Amino acid sequence: MSISRVAIYPGSFDPLTNGHTSIIARGLNMFDKVIVAVAHNVRKSSTMFTVEERVSFIEQAFPNHNVEIDTFASMLLVDYARAKGCNVILRGLRAVSDFEYELQLANMNRRLAPDIETVFMMTEEAHFYVSSSLIKEVARFGGDVRGMVPDHVVDALHQKYLDTQD
Ligand code: ADP
């Protein structure tokens, strides 16, 4: 009998970028299933896209049965992981600037739940400068973000900025 390996990939995904999709796709090479957990992050008080929109972007990119998309709020990530019966948290790393925060987070989570391991994947070269916040900044001023986010996210960004110009 083989044991199914599952990882939780948590984040804000506001919106989904090709940096995120790369981590999910590569995660599937290591895990039987990836649960993408869309957070209402208390540190990011306002998001551009609603949780439903953020979930929908991921669903459109990954209709696969081995990608589960879920949301979580107002609870510790380790408690969420336990509730899902999962002991691996997957995170992506871009630059040194990510490292310090991620190191803190991983160690805090280890302290809270020693049985849960955080696994890091280095970003692909093509995506190391891609972040959701920079994408929103570029799109706001009409910059071309194609190739950095999935096409349906490009459309949603355009629509969002058209709506705010009304
Ligand atoms: P959070 O608010 O939790 O940082 P994000 O949606 O910004 O949520 O990021 C979720 C995860 O994806 C984090 O581990 C982040 O480092 C990673 N990530 C974001 N962008 C990229 C990228 N371009 N390449 C690799 N990993 C990334």
Side-chain angles (χ1 to χ4, degrees):
M1 193 187 78
S2 69
I3 297 170
S4 170
R5 291 167 308 167
V6 182
I8 287 178
Y9 179 40
S12 311
F13 306 103
D14 184 43
L16 181 72
T17 70
N18 287 346
H20 295 132
T21 60
S22 159
I23 298 289
I24 298 168
R26 289 162 58 209
L28 288 172
N29 294 330
M30 292 175 63
F31 299 97
D32 300 308
K33 183 164 114 178
V34 173
I35 302 173
V36 184
V38 181
H40 305 253
N41 195 333
V42 286
R43 287 165 64 96
K44 295 182 183 175
S45 50
S46 64
T47 53
M48 166 176 275
F49 294 99
T50 64
V51 184
E52 292 77 19
E53 288 172 319
R54 289 182 276 147
V55 164
S56 160
F57 296 150
I58 305 165
E59 277 170 355
Q60 289 176 65
F62 292 96
N64 335 24
H65 68 276
N66 50 0
V67 177
E68 179 184 325
I69 300 140
D70 195 15
T71 61
F72 77 106
S74 308
M75 74 190 296
L76 289 173
L77 177 60
V78 289
D79 288 340
Y80 171 78
R82 283 218 176 100
K84 296 297 270 185
C86 177
N87 64 357
V88 179
I89 295 168
L90 179 62
R91 296 284 287 176
L93 276 182
R94 278 160 296 190
V96 182
S97 51
D98 280 344
F99 181 80
E100 213 166 320
Y101 175 65
E102 294 290 342
L103 182 70
Q104 277 186 5
L105 201 63
N107 280 301
M108 178 57 82
N109 284 335
R110 190 198 310 282
R111 171 76 190 257
L112 295 170
D115 51 315
I116 295 178
E117 197 62 59
T118 304
V119 170
F120 293 100
M121 285 187 121
M122 300 300 283
T123 187
E124 280 184 87
E125 208 177 307
H127 307 307
F128 88 95
Y129 56 88
V130 174
S131 69
S132 296
S133 39
L134 202 49
I135 289 291
K136 284 181 282 194
E137 201 68 20
V138 171
R140 171 174 301 137
F141 298 111
D144 187 2
V145 294
R146 275 176 302 175
M148 294 185 265
V149 297
D151 289 345
H152 57 276
V153 175
V154 176
D155 296 341
L157 281 162
H158 284 159
Q159 197 53 51
K160 191 65 88 177
Y161 286 119
L162 283 178
D163 289 349
T164 53
Q165 277 167 14
D166 288 342

